[in-house]
Amino acid sequence: MTIYLNGQYMPIEEAKISVLDRGFIFGDGVYEVIPVYSRKAFRLAEHLRRLQHSLDGIKLANPYSDGEWTGIINELIARNAGEDQYLYLHITRGVAKRDHAFPSPPVKPTVFMMSNPLPTPPADLLHSGVACITAPDNRWLRCDIKAISLLPNVLLRQMAVDAGCAETILIRTESKTEDAFMTEGAASNIFVVKDGKLLAPPKDNLMLPGITYDVILEIAAANGIPHEVRRIAVAEVHAADELLLTSSTKEVLAITQLDGKPVGSGKPGPMFARLHSLYQDFKRNVMRAH
Ligand code: PDD
């Protein structure tokens, strides 16, 4: 596997960073995961826009222009095997003496990128759906930043694995008077389906603005699928006809079990079938138009 590190391409075994890198010491950095279909980065402009939003959120200057990013990304795709890949892109505030405050003057950020084969969900998962659990969302209040400091997400996702499940759906309570509501998954976005309508939580500071989430809502709008973006109470999650999970690496999956109980019929439902099929068409059309 060939990776990119600070201006150079090299085998992953040769890649080295300092133990004083602020990514290593503080988790002080941001990242992106970009799917690659037929050797073309999917929704690259949108991923680069979100990257800029994350960099702005941590007050770190973007080391490259969009044109430079595109050049590096295309070169890395060309240097790695596989038509379908997924790119992992990671920027930290660089190497400096350990101090919580930013290095002053700023140091060169560390830029790392790797590409792996894209593990699209196997057919049996599409047919059976996945099981999830719910847990309190104990993360910070800037979940819109795709930060590399992922300890809460790691612990929340492991809760699902320990329960033999695929993902943990996160529930927030903002005040004692307001109902608890759903934000997203530990590493995915979540949609609720009720009475033929697709419900999505709003893109605010409490969730990552998923690129796949946007694609799903665009597909819904383009195909006349009733949908609404609003806060979703935890009771609505438990009373859903269908639940859907989306991410760049999982695309769209049906959640067929929640906290040990079947969701709706307990099988992937009609909204999942429709959106999954439309998502595949959308992907094909975008790649063809490239
Ligand atoms: N995670 N919410 C969280 C907390 C995520 O980590 C992710 C993706 C998403 C979905 O976003 P997108 O559709 O842009 O992939 C939502 C990636 C895949 C990861 O960390 O590996």
Side-chain angles (χ1 to χ4, degrees), residues 179-201:
D179 283 345
F181 57 93
M182 173 190 83
T183 53
E184 59 179 337
S188 58
N189 290 115
I190 307 291
F191 292 82
V192 166
V193 180
K194 190 67 182 176
D195 299 329
K197 194 190 238 184
L198 184 67
L199 300 175

Side-chain angles (χ1 to χ4, degrees), residues 31 33 50 146 153 184-189 208 210-212 247-248:
Y31 77 107
V33 172
R50 184 172 67 184
K146 205 161 169 57
N153 303 64
E184 59 179 337
S188 58
N189 290 115
L208 185 80
I211 305 295
T212 324
S247 83
S248 290

Side-chain angles (χ1 to χ4, degrees), residues 160-259:
V161 172
D162 290 344
C165 291
E167 180 62 302
T168 303
I169 298 180
L170 308 179
I171 308 297
R172 261 242 198 225
T173 325
E174 269 192 325
S175 71
K176 287 207 170 71
T177 48
E178 195 194 14
D179 283 345
F181 57 93
M182 173 190 83
T183 53
E184 59 179 337
S188 58
N189 290 115
I190 307 291
F191 292 82
V192 166
V193 180
K194 190 67 182 176
D195 299 329
K197 194 190 238 184
L198 184 67
L199 300 175
K203 287 200 286 186
D204 56 16
N205 61 312
L206 301 179
M207 71 168 236
L208 185 80
I211 305 295
T212 324
Y213 165 104
D214 280 343
V215 173
I216 291 291
L217 286 180
E218 272 177 44
I219 289 175
N223 291 276
I225 297 172
H227 59 283
E228 194 181 337
V229 177
R230 62 162 173 83
R231 272 211 172 155
I232 300 168
V234 63
E236 295 181 282
V237 177
H238 289 289
D241 296 333
E242 295 181 48
L243 292 174
L244 308 177
L245 174 161
T246 67
S247 83
S248 290
T249 46
K250 301 221 158 51
E251 299 186 341
V252 52
L253 284 177
I255 299 167
T256 45
Q257 212 191 83
L258 186 65
D259 293 333

Side-chain angles (χ1 to χ4, degrees), residues 35-38 40-43 84 118-121 126 212 215 219 247-252 275-290:
V36 173
Y37 300 112
S38 307
K40 287 167 194 124
F42 184 64
R43 292 233 140 182
D84 294 352
L118 182 68
T120 40
L126 295 176
T212 324
V215 173
I219 289 175
S247 83
S248 290
T249 46
K250 301 221 158 51
E251 299 186 341
V252 52
L275 285 172
H276 183 265
S277 151
L278 287 168
Y279 193 86
Q280 301 309 314
D281 295 345
F282 183 93
K283 240 165 62 179
R284 261 191 300 273
N285 289 338
V286 170
M287 294 347 281
R288 210 178 289 133
H290 240 275

